[in-house]
């Protein structure tokens, strides 16, 4: 069972949007959202909580495995999830807000690797990986890379790269950097290549937006104020 699957409930007793709680799913993913003791914080969490409080919207945040967090929104069991990159698959059942956090993707290879992700032959030769349920994984699948592993956490990506289970993995830079620091490694241990700059957003389910038509517009109008 996932540790601390239901994190906390934060209720504001007046609301201009809905009489029911907004059920928000997320994952533990430093530095965007993570446990600090019993407190849940992070760059994205601070923005999300600030915005929802200013919207005077009752809400509950739950920390779940990332794939399940999204699936519950897709199945109508939750109303929203964060932090997520924008993908066509997610857009089928949810509506993204404007950016709530920075999101840079980088390739990670062993320092001894002769491969270069910027060369055309990389896609043809390399066996690659990404965390399950993430934008990088969706990208690799859609672009028909030879993806051979999709572990549930970035820590396993590093473990599997060390064990030569694949040639490279694609990950958000911030999350991978946190893991490298945690292990007291030097970045010179790897070959690191920039891939792209992407937005991390908050996703409302289409069903919630249908019943609360101004929710996305109001959320977006408060992001800048809450990002200071």
């Amino acid at each position: 069972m996932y540790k601390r699957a239901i994190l906390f409930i934060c209720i504001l007793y007046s609301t201009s949007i809905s009489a029911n709680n907004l059920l928000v799913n997320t994952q533990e993913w430093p530095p965007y959202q993570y446990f600090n003791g019993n407190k849940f914080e992070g760059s994205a969490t601070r923005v999300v909580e600030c915005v929802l409080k200013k919207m005077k919207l009752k809400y509950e945040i739950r920390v779940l495995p990332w794939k399940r967090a999204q699936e519950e929104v897709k199945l109508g069991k939750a109303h929203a999830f964060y932090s997520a990159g924008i993908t066509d698959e997610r857009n089928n059942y949810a509506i993204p807000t404007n950016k709530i956090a920075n999101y840079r993707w980088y390739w990670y290879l062993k320092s001894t690797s002769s491969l270069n992700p910027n060369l055309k032959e990389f896609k043809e030769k390399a066996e690659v990986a990404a965390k399950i349920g993430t934008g990088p994984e969706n990208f690799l699948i859609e672009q028909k890379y030879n993806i051979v592993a999709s572990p549930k956490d970035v820590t396993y990506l590093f473990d599997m790269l060390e064990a030569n289970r694949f040639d490279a993995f694609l990950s958000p830079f911030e999350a991978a950097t946190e893991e490298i620091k945690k292990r007291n490694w030097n970045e010179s241990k790897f070959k690191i290549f920039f891939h792209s700059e992407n937005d991390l957003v908050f996703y409302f389910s289409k069903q919630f937006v249908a019943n609360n038509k101004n929710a996305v517009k109001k959320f977006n109008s408060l992001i800048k104020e809450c990002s200071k």
Side-chain angles (χ1 to χ4, degrees):
M1 185 173 179
Y2 192 78
K3 180 182 68 174
R4 293 178 287 191
I6 299 179
L7 169 62
F8 60 84
I9 300 174
C10 182
I11 298 176
L12 306 178
Y13 287 97
S14 62
T15 173
S16 58
I17 295 181
S18 173
N20 299 317
N21 289 355
L22 177 73
L23 184 57
V24 181
N25 287 350
T26 190
Q27 63 171 328
E28 188 171 12
W29 190 29
Y32 312 110
Q33 55 264 358
Y34 59 92
F35 288 102
N36 183 6
N38 290 324
K39 186 179 179 182
F40 198 62
E41 52 189 46
S43 57
T45 296
R46 285 191 292 273
V47 174
V48 167
E49 289 209 281
C50 174
V51 170
L52 295 181
K53 287 174 182 177
K54 287 181 179 294
M55 291 173 73
K56 295 183 170 59
L57 179 62
K58 297 178 182 180
Y59 66 93
E60 173 185 344
I61 295 178
R62 302 192 305 166
V63 178
L64 302 168
W66 186 226
K67 196 168 184 67
R68 176 183 163 193
Q70 297 168 82
E71 193 69 17
E72 285 196 355
V73 174
K74 187 175 183 179
L75 296 175
K77 296 180 180 180
H79 304 114
F81 62 89
Y82 79 98
S83 304
I86 297 174
T87 68
D88 291 340
E89 196 275 332
R90 290 168 179 153
N91 290 346
N92 286 331
Y93 60 89
I95 297 176
T97 65
N98 291 342
K99 181 176 71 172
I100 62 171
N102 292 321
Y103 188 44
R104 295 172 293 165
W105 296 359
Y106 279 75
W107 285 106
Y108 290 82
L109 298 79
K110 296 183 78 169
S111 62
T112 54
S113 175
S114 61
L115 295 171
N116 184 335
N118 295 323
L119 300 179
K120 183 179 179 180
E121 63 184 30
F122 178 83
K123 186 175 179 179
E124 300 168 354
K125 294 181 177 181
E127 293 185 333
V128 301
K131 181 180 173 181
I132 190 169
T134 61
E137 185 202 32
N138 290 334
F139 170 81
L140 295 176
I141 292 171
E142 290 170 1
Q143 296 301 313
K144 302 189 185 322
Y145 278 79
N146 183 18
I147 183 168
V148 297
S150 298
K152 65 180 182 179
D153 196 85
V154 67
T155 186
Y156 298 121
L157 288 171
F158 281 103
D159 290 342
M160 295 171 80
L161 181 65
E162 284 280 283
N164 297 313
R165 295 281 298 278
F166 45 72
D167 299 305
F169 68 83
L170 186 61
S171 171
F173 178 75
E174 289 79 3
T177 298
E178 285 287 322
E179 183 64 23
I180 290 172
K181 288 180 180 177
K182 188 189 302 182
R183 298 185 184 218
N184 293 315
W185 283 346
N186 192 294
E187 288 189 350
S188 62
K189 183 179 178 69
F190 306 97
K191 285 185 175 178
I192 303 173
F193 296 83
F194 174 76
H195 178 273
S196 59
E197 182 91 29
N198 301 279
D199 292 346
L200 276 177
V201 303
F202 183 95
Y203 263 105
F204 285 101
S205 72
K206 286 187 175 180
Q207 183 178 358
F208 182 84
V209 173
N211 295 326
N212 302 274
K213 298 188 184 299
N214 292 323
V216 176
K217 182 178 179 180
K218 182 65 174 175
F219 191 104
N220 287 340
S221 72
L222 293 166
I223 291 175
K224 184 175 181 180
E225 181 179 349
C226 286
S227 299
K228 294 177 180 178

